[in-house]
Amino acid sequence: MRAAVVHDFDKPLSLDERPVPEPGAGQVLVRLETSGLCHTDMHAAHGDWPVKPTLPLIPGHEGVGIVERLGPDATGVSEGDRVAIPWLGWACGTCEHCLSGWETLCPNQRNTGYSVDGCYAEYAVASAPFVGRVPDGVDPLDAAPLACAGVTTYKAVKVAGVRPTDLVAVFGVGGLGHLAVQYAAIAGATVVAVDVHDEKLALARDLGASHTVNARVVDPVEAIQQLGGADAAIALAAEPEPFAQAFRSLRRGGRLVFVALPKDNELSLPIFETVLGGITVAGSIVGTRLDLAEVYELHRDGRTRVVRETRRLEQVNDAFAEVEKGAVPARLVFDLR
Ligand code: ZN
Ligand code: ZN
């Protein structure tokens, strides 16, 4: 099979010919149709984060395809099912986090396209209980970004405790942000979107944002405070400065949710204002299997729109460069068919 492989953190990915993997116990073999490009894949390929993946690595954790074969003892899915292979490739099922329905916090988890090979390939193996079922009628090109960008922002809106009277500020309108705007709007909130590209702000308005702020032109903190301050802010930009702006844009009692993982891992927040303002700061990482099922349900019912462009797997290095430049409208998806 063809696969895009990272051999060196300082070199481009190479297109390699690899044997089709064998599904082990409890696993399924998936013939991939589509595979989304998440910013995490670029961090994985560059070794940007404190915990680095072991090389060689096939990145990708927004894979969607058809179950071709079941390994021994694989249950819950059948040959021919369309499934998604998300970031949470496997969790132990027995730790306190798994038992409390927070399998995304499992300390024993395996992560697709990071600690195990992922979906920039024609085939991948995945743990049967951790694949997402893609409902009939959901386009595989839409299903791929929903497997990470969708579930991650859907969960962030839940973690932010968004209510219908809330003003929700979404910092960063890319692959994640364009979905965050929609989930916050579905929850009934008034949404203000912040970005530095006018076309992305126009997209945010199309998708339900009532207000937009171009942070290159206007101070987003002032603009959002003029609206009364945000009840919740969701930080999705891949640099620390918007995190600080998101904090200062909150009203008293506001909740700030960290989602993006900038390479630069430090942020300083004022203790005094946090205490007196009763501010909550929370981190939110991807979403559970239940969250993913809900994301697909909303999309099947026509309540969300995925903005994406397709590329071929051979274009992987150019695609990385495009995303790095911020030149893509929302999400890139490799069409592997
Ligand atoms: Zn991702
Ligand atoms: Zn666990």
Side-chain angles (χ1 to χ4, degrees), residues 31-79:
R31 177 170 43 82
L32 291 160
E33 301 174 292
T34 58
S35 190
L37 193 173
C38 178
H39 222 109
T40 293
D41 306 335
M42 292 157 59
H43 293 301
H46 298 150
D48 280 341
W49 287 340
V51 179
K52 294 184 199 316
T54 310
L55 302 185
L57 172 77
I58 301 173
H61 55 270
E62 288 186 347
V64 170
I66 305 295
V67 174
E68 193 158 284
R69 196 146 50 85
L70 305 186
D73 306 322
T75 52
V77 283
S78 309
E79 283 174 18

Side-chain angles (χ1 to χ4, degrees), residues 173 177-179 181-182 185 202-209 304-307:
V173 186
H178 89 283
L179 287 157
V181 165
Q182 298 178 68
L203 173 66
R205 276 193 297 275
D206 270 2
L207 296 172
T304 51
R305 203 176 111 203
V306 177
V307 177

Side-chain angles (χ1 to χ4, degrees), residues 53-110:
T54 310
L55 302 185
L57 172 77
I58 301 173
H61 55 270
E62 288 186 347
V64 170
I66 305 295
V67 174
E68 193 158 284
R69 196 146 50 85
L70 305 186
D73 306 322
T75 52
V77 283
S78 309
E79 283 174 18
D81 286 351
R82 176 169 286 127
V83 296
I85 307 178
W87 171 253
L88 188 71
W90 180 86
C92 75
T94 55
C95 73
E96 62 178 293
H97 306 291
C98 283
L99 290 175
S100 66
W102 281 90
E103 70 249 29
T104 48
L105 303 183
C106 176
N108 309 310
Q109 68 185 270
R110 289 180 208 139

Side-chain angles (χ1 to χ4, degrees), residues 72-288:
D73 306 322
T75 52
V77 283
S78 309
E79 283 174 18
D81 286 351
R82 176 169 286 127
V83 296
I85 307 178
W87 171 253
L88 188 71
W90 180 86
C92 75
T94 55
C95 73
E96 62 178 293
H97 306 291
C98 283
L99 290 175
S100 66
W102 281 90
E103 70 249 29
T104 48
L105 303 183
C106 176
N108 309 310
Q109 68 185 270
R110 289 180 208 139
N111 298 120
T112 310
Y114 207 91
S115 61
V116 295
D117 275 338
C119 305
Y120 283 15
E122 290 175 303
Y123 288 89
V125 290
S127 174
F130 287 89
V131 296
R133 302 294 290 271
V134 180
D136 288 343
V138 172
D139 186 331
L141 288 166
D142 288 347
L146 292 172
C148 180
V151 76
T152 298
T153 49
Y154 180 70
K155 186 63 157 190
V157 168
K158 278 191 177 178
V159 168
V162 174
R163 300 183 313 138
T165 51
D166 281 350
L167 178 68
V168 175
V170 173
F171 279 76
V173 186
L176 275 77
H178 89 283
L179 287 157
V181 165
Q182 298 178 68
Y183 294 128
I186 288 171
T190 302
V191 180
V192 49
V194 182
D195 204 283
V196 291
H197 299 285
D198 283 331
E199 23 351 311
K200 291 188 178 175
L201 294 171
L203 173 66
R205 276 193 297 275
D206 270 2
L207 296 172
S210 304
H211 310 274
T212 55
V213 180
N214 187 329
R216 215 168 251 163
V217 181
V218 181
D219 177 5
V221 175
E222 245 170 64
I224 294 168
Q225 288 299 348
Q226 266 170 23
L227 296 169
D231 298 283
I234 301 177
L236 303 171
E239 41 207 285
E241 176 59 17
F243 282 67
Q245 290 170 337
F247 177 88
R248 298 200 310 277
S249 74
L250 293 172
R251 60 186 289 152
R252 288 189 158 219
R255 290 98 57 196
L256 172 56
V257 181
F258 287 6
V259 177
L261 294 165
K263 186 178 174 181
D264 188 352
N265 192 24
E266 296 296 327
L267 177 67
S268 117
L269 295 176
I271 297 166
F272 188 83
E273 286 78 357
T274 304
V275 173
L276 268 72
I279 302 295
T280 303
V281 178
S284 185
I285 176 74
V286 294
T288 63

